[in-house]
Amino acid sequence: MDLSTYFSTSFLMSFVTLANVLGVIGGLCTVASMSMKTVIPLRIAGIAGAFFFLCSGIFSRTFPSIFLYAMLLPLNSYRLFQMMELIKKVRAAASSDLSMDWLQPFMTKRRYKKGEVVFRKGEVADQMFLAAKGKYLVTEINVELRPGHIFGEMGLLTSGFQRTASVECIESGQLLTISYDKVRELYFENPEFGFYFLRLVGERLLQNLKRAEDMLAAERQKHAVAVADPPPASDTESDKQSHGQLRPAYENLYFFARIRGRSRRIAKIRASWINRLPTRVTMPSLRWRPR
């Protein structure tokens, strides 16, 4: 068998067909898509690769290739459209008020009845919430959450992924939830969403700081008013009870003071009698004589 025939120009040129050329271009696009780090260029390269492979299958009349890439081409196109719309909404949200309405397609619905606890302080956090309907109360700081409020995002940033407060449903409604895994995926895939999320968390921290400063200022004002104008003393039930408990101690002190006063008077009388006695008393000496 002569191998030279496989390296002849006529044999090599037989592979140069439109279907093979399109297949080579599609392969290069696929390899390029696998080497990319960002999602949007990856999707574009994937769409180009699927298009060229689809054309190659049509010209070579290969049904499996036609079927496979006819499915991948619209799927990649739709995902790219979703990502582009998401980026547009993120950019618009970053320059406007803090809202997560544009994330609703990525969220799931969950209903709560009045009195149900959404989560408790100290529990392990795994998702973030958007109030769609109803009212909710943060029990530790007595703050009411209405439709449009976002909560539950702080658990993603704590060391142990724990809830920092408890939330209770005070009016039956509906919440939209998104898992932390999805939030991380959006954060790493889209720098715009990462900026939006940091802005959201920063705004929440500033709100908590302002609330703490207002509470501290109110306590200082109450303390200043109490020092400047103390309330008149009143004999309340607690005062009467405390006086009743201290009464035996008062009686013992009074009794001890009276005994001490009497002992002082007795000591004075004794000293006066001693002074009246002669300073030197001579006793007759007795002599003993042996018998």
Side-chain angles (χ1 to χ4, degrees):
M1 186 176 181
D2 190 6
L3 296 178
S4 60
T5 57
Y6 293 100
F7 296 98
S8 62
T9 305
S10 59
F11 180 79
L12 295 176
M13 291 300 295
S14 64
F15 288 97
V16 182
T17 60
L18 182 60
N20 290 338
V21 171
L22 293 175
V24 170
I25 297 175
L28 293 175
C29 293
T30 303
V31 172
S33 67
M34 292 181 179
S35 63
M36 292 178 179
K37 297 181 179 180
T38 53
V39 176
I40 293 180
L42 185 149
R43 291 291 183 187
I44 294 175
I47 291 172
F51 174 76
F52 285 112
F53 275 124
L54 178 61
C55 294
S56 175
I58 292 173
F59 286 104
S60 64
R61 298 179 181 181
T62 306
F63 179 75
S65 298
I66 295 174
F67 175 78
L68 175 62
Y69 294 104
M71 298 292 291
L72 291 178
L73 182 61
L75 179 61
N76 284 328
S77 301
Y78 178 70
R79 291 301 184 188
L80 178 63
F81 172 76
Q82 277 189 325
M83 194 60 63
M84 296 297 292
E85 289 295 320
L86 179 64
I87 291 176
K88 289 180 181 179
K89 293 177 180 180
V90 167
R91 288 176 178 174
S95 59
S96 61
D97 57 341
L98 292 176
S99 174
M100 269 180 47
D101 295 337
W102 52 272
L103 274 181
Q104 290 186 7
F106 300 91
M107 307 179 81
T108 57
K109 297 179 181 180
R110 186 177 299 176
R111 296 185 179 276
Y112 286 89
K113 297 181 180 179
K114 182 178 179 180
E116 289 188 26
V117 177
V118 180
F119 54 79
R120 300 183 185 276
K121 182 177 180 180
E123 291 182 348
V124 178
D126 58 352
Q127 55 188 354
M128 179 163 77
F129 299 88
L130 171 64
K133 298 179 182 179
K135 296 179 182 179
Y136 307 87
L137 181 68
V138 184
T139 56
E140 281 76 9
I141 56 177
N142 197 26
V143 173
E144 184 176 313
L145 303 175
R146 294 179 175 271
H149 277 83
I150 307 165
F151 59 95
E153 77 284 354
M154 297 302 296
L156 180 62
L157 304 178
T158 57
S159 58
F161 299 104
Q162 294 182 346
R163 297 295 185 189
T164 58
S166 302
V167 176
E168 180 183 354
C169 179
I170 58 176
E171 182 181 312
S172 300
Q174 179 177 287
L175 290 177
L176 299 177
T177 65
I178 180 171
S179 65
Y180 283 167
D181 293 335
K182 189 64 178 179
V183 172
R184 294 188 189 96
E185 181 181 349
L186 293 173
Y187 182 87
F188 288 110
E189 288 181 355
N190 301 281
E192 292 86 354
F193 176 76
F195 171 77
Y196 174 86
F197 184 76
L198 292 177
R199 183 167 174 257
L200 172 65
V201 174
E203 189 71 19
R204 182 59 53 87
L205 291 175
L206 291 176
Q207 291 176 0
N208 294 339
L209 179 61
K210 185 177 183 301
R211 188 180 296 110
E213 290 178 349
D214 294 341
M215 293 175 62
L216 182 60
E219 291 296 330
R220 287 178 177 176
Q221 185 176 2
K222 290 180 181 179
H223 180 70
V225 171
V227 171
D229 188 14
S234 59
D235 192 9
T236 60
E237 294 295 332
S238 59
D239 295 335
K240 292 179 180 180
Q241 185 177 2
S242 60
H243 292 166
Q245 294 176 355
L246 294 175
R247 185 172 180 177
Y250 294 153
E251 293 177 352
N252 292 335
L253 290 174
Y254 176 73
F255 182 70
F256 176 75
R258 291 189 61 183
I259 292 176
R260 188 175 181 183
R262 290 181 180 179
S263 62
R264 286 182 179 178
R265 288 197 298 269
I266 293 173
K268 290 180 181 179
I269 295 172
R270 181 181 178 184
S272 62
W273 280 102
I274 291 175
N275 292 332
R276 292 179 183 180
L277 294 177
T279 57
R280 184 177 181 182
V281 178
T282 57
M283 299 296 294
S285 58
L286 299 177
R287 296 180 181 179
W288 302 89
R289 296 179 180 179
R291 295 182 178 180

